[in-house]
Amino acid sequence: MTLYFDPAAVLFQVYPSCNGRWADRLWLNVPGPVYGAETDNCATGRLEAPRHIHYGGQYFTEYVYRQPRTPDEVRDVLSAIEADPMDGYAWDGDQRWTPELVREWWRDRERILEYLRDQVHEWERYDRWIPNQRAVEGCPGLRGLHRWRHRLRKP
């Protein structure tokens, strides 16, 4: 049984460097290794990784709402990264998310949930435009994140 799968290790094998900048990450990204910074808004991310990528923020750019947990999920996220013409993803988040930043993100989760609730009408409109992406089905609850960040440790 594998206790910890490190998606960043797989991503770094394929792409030794990333161009997304931590300072530019969208506030909606969940803590973990992968995050969207200045990505495109061409609706490519959900085509490749609908269970991990969503759109939002001021410019309706891509962000990671669920971190990849298996090699297949990493493959999907890699496809989204490759489809981004702005090269705005990064996978150095585990080196940047401090316990205090994760706690801050967790304290701010109501703001995130409120934003997501307010955006459902936009996603429904968007789903009519590109129905196979089904944006409304994205963004699950946040309960598992707290357990992952505070209990699961790398071997």
Side-chain angles (χ1 to χ4, degrees):
M1 175 174 84
T2 301
L3 296 177
Y4 181 80
F5 171 73
D6 185 4
V10 176
L11 290 163
F12 277 115
Q13 286 177 4
V14 178
Y15 293 108
S17 65
C18 51
N19 292 322
R21 295 182 335 159
W22 178 254
D24 297 328
R25 78 188 183 287
L26 190 61
W27 60 277
L28 292 162
N29 284 284
V30 296
V34 185
Y35 58 92
E38 289 185 338
T39 62
D40 72 344
N41 57 4
C42 300
T44 56
R46 286 192 59 76
L47 290 171
E48 304 297 331
R51 294 181 50 87
H52 302 280
I53 307 297
H54 227 297
Y55 310 120
Q58 182 178 1
Y59 302 109
F60 208 57
T61 55
E62 299 175 3
Y63 67 94
V64 178
Y65 76 87
R66 180 186 292 146
Q67 292 291 334
R69 296 176 295 173
T70 67
D72 287 340
E73 290 178 356
V74 169
R75 184 197 66 234
D76 293 344
V77 170
L78 267 172
S79 294
I81 290 169
E82 290 173 343
D84 177 32
M86 300 295 289
D87 204 17
Y89 281 94
W91 41 94
D92 60 351
D94 281 346
Q95 288 89 37
R96 298 181 179 273
W97 283 102
T98 64
E100 183 52 39
L101 285 175
V102 172
R103 286 185 199 101
E104 182 181 313
W105 183 90
W106 185 252
R107 281 190 300 268
D108 208 24
R109 70 189 179 279
E110 285 304 318
R111 175 181 171 222
I112 294 168
L113 290 171
E114 181 179 332
Y115 173 84
L116 297 175
R117 283 189 293 267
D118 290 346
Q119 291 301 305
V120 167
H121 68 282
E122 286 295 316
W123 296 334
E124 288 170 342
R125 186 173 60 83
Y126 189 78
D127 285 350
R128 287 190 296 273
W129 180 51
I130 303 179
N132 61 332
Q133 291 195 32
R134 297 187 323 249
V136 172
E137 291 181 11
C139 296
L142 301 170
R143 294 179 188 178
L145 176 70
H146 183 69
R147 286 191 303 272
W148 177 79
R149 291 302 290 181
H150 294 287
R151 293 184 189 161
L152 190 58
R153 301 285 186 244
K154 290 183 182 181

